[in-house]
Amino acid sequence: MNTGIRLAGFAAAVSLVATGAAGALWLSAESASGQVQVYRAPRLPGTSHPDLTGIWQAFVTANWNIEDHGAEAGPFPTLLGAWGAQPPGQSIVRGGEIPYRPAALAKREANFARRLDVDVDALNTVGDPEAKCYMPGVPRATYMPYPFQIIQSTDRIVIAYQFASANRTIPIGRPTEPPIDFWMGWSNGSWDGDTLVVDVTGFHDLPWLDRAGNHHSAQLHVVERYTPISPYHLQYEATIEDPQVFTRPWTISFPLYRRIEENVRLLEFKCVDLTEEYIYGGLLEGAGQ
């Protein structure tokens, strides 16, 4: 009986301590929230705009699949083991799922089934363009597992990507029209407070959004937003609109991290030479027969 009373008293004391701790944490959070200040990035010299110059990188697994995905064996597990495996990852899509039209969803599944196929008569339209070292497109270039560099001046921004030496020149405040369609689209920039807004049109339908076969048409319209939230982070958002493929606009978002290693620099990853045997090896084998 005394043991039961002692246990009941102990449980009550634990409950009281837990309640008190929770209250203290709530008060601490409330107090802290009243003192939080919005981060104000250093200004680009000679302007009132934040300086986004630096080398940045996303640490998400969206290049494999921008939606939720589990770990899976790669296409050649008997040769590569875990080297070619797909890492698990969470969706970067707000709401979790891409709002595909039914026919476009079916095309996504067909893309995935043929993601590593090579057809020399249809190199641009069969298989994942990444495997062939084509330009990654927008927004995919931002969440590939490679760094990229932002170089900022008063009237334009250049973004140089490590993968395939892709790059974009973005004029600020003087919109121009795309003369033709491009792998990386045609970018125009403006400022919304401290947020860099990049309006991208002028795509063709060849880039993919990831290795899972997610895709778009030539009607793609992307509006990117780069917002500094600390000395070492940008919040990246991209709203994607394509009425031919999707039922409504949808948005992806994730943080970008500043690379701060000593002497960090953007290195070259010119992968064209690395893909020649992959793309044309079948022709060489046929010629030898």
Side-chain angles (χ1 to χ4, degrees), residues 39 41 52 56-57 226-236 254-259:
Y39 172 69
L52 307 185
W56 304 89
Q57 188 167 355
Y226 300 78
T227 304
I229 56 175
S230 88
Y232 310 107
H233 304 86
L234 300 176
Q235 183 64 30
Y236 177 82
F254 51 89
L256 297 170
Y257 296 80
R258 185 188 294 275
R259 297 286 296 268

Side-chain angles (χ1 to χ4, degrees), residues 153-211:
S153 70
T154 56
D155 63 349
R156 71 189 62 206
I157 289 176
V158 173
I159 305 181
Y161 301 92
Q162 184 163 293
F163 181 80
S165 299
N167 63 82
R168 291 194 283 165
T169 298
I170 305 168
I172 304 297
R174 44 183 181 84
T176 56
E177 294 295 324
I180 57 173
D181 293 339
F182 298 92
W183 279 92
M184 300 297 290
W186 187 261
S187 299
N188 288 291
S190 62
W191 291 101
D192 179 9
D194 275 9
T195 297
L196 172 66
V197 181
V198 184
D199 192 285
V200 196
T201 56
F203 293 97
H204 49 58
D205 62 354
L206 300 178
W208 287 12
L209 296 173
D210 55 27
R211 295 182 182 180

Side-chain angles (χ1 to χ4, degrees), residues 233-250:
H233 304 86
L234 300 176
Q235 183 64 30
Y236 177 82
E237 297 180 0
T239 298
I240 296 164
E241 184 177 9
D242 185 339
Q244 182 174 324
V245 176
F246 311 115
T247 58
R248 57 173 172 79
W250 51 282

Side-chain angles (χ1 to χ4, degrees), residues 58-262:
F59 292 99
V60 293
T61 60
N63 190 54
W64 283 265
N65 191 334
I66 58 178
E67 296 182 306
D68 283 336
H69 55 278
E72 293 185 5
F76 307 110
T78 58
L79 294 176
L80 300 177
W83 272 22
Q86 169 185 284
Q90 296 175 288
S91 176
I92 62 170
V93 180
R94 286 186 183 168
E97 295 185 0
I98 302 170
Y100 271 111
R101 295 189 180 278
L105 181 60
K107 181 178 179 182
R108 192 266 299 272
E109 304 307 320
N111 283 346
F112 179 75
R114 301 193 65 186
R115 63 194 184 280
L116 288 179
D117 285 4
V118 175
D119 184 341
V120 293
D121 294 321
L123 283 179
N124 292 342
T125 56
V126 175
D128 184 355
E130 179 195 359
K132 292 170 280 196
C133 193
Y134 291 158
M135 298 291 105
V138 175
R140 187 178 186 179
T142 310
Y143 50 77
M144 295 186 82
Y146 309 96
F148 60 90
Q149 186 168 9
I150 296 177
I151 305 166
Q152 184 176 344
S153 70
T154 56
D155 63 349
R156 71 189 62 206
I157 289 176
V158 173
I159 305 181
Y161 301 92
Q162 184 163 293
F163 181 80
S165 299
N167 63 82
R168 291 194 283 165
T169 298
I170 305 168
I172 304 297
R174 44 183 181 84
T176 56
E177 294 295 324
I180 57 173
D181 293 339
F182 298 92
W183 279 92
M184 300 297 290
W186 187 261
S187 299
N188 288 291
S190 62
W191 291 101
D192 179 9
D194 275 9
T195 297
L196 172 66
V197 181
V198 184
D199 192 285
V200 196
T201 56
F203 293 97
H204 49 58
D205 62 354
L206 300 178
W208 287 12
L209 296 173
D210 55 27
R211 295 182 182 180
N214 288 302
H215 63 98
H216 60 79
S217 77
Q219 296 184 35
L220 177 67
H221 176 204
V222 180
V223 178
E224 302 174 288
R225 297 177 66 86
Y226 300 78
T227 304
I229 56 175
S230 88
Y232 310 107
H233 304 86
L234 300 176
Q235 183 64 30
Y236 177 82
E237 297 180 0
T239 298
I240 296 164
E241 184 177 9
D242 185 339
Q244 182 174 324
V245 176
F246 311 115
T247 58
R248 57 173 172 79
W250 51 282
T251 300
I252 62 173
S253 63
F254 51 89
L256 297 170
Y257 296 80
R258 185 188 294 275
R259 297 286 296 268
I260 61 171
E261 302 94 319
E262 186 177 359

Side-chain angles (χ1 to χ4, degrees), residues 13-36:
V14 169
S15 176
L16 183 61
V17 169
T19 302
L25 287 173
W26 182 83
L27 289 172
S28 175
E30 285 291 296
S31 176
S33 67
Q35 299 175 6
V36 169

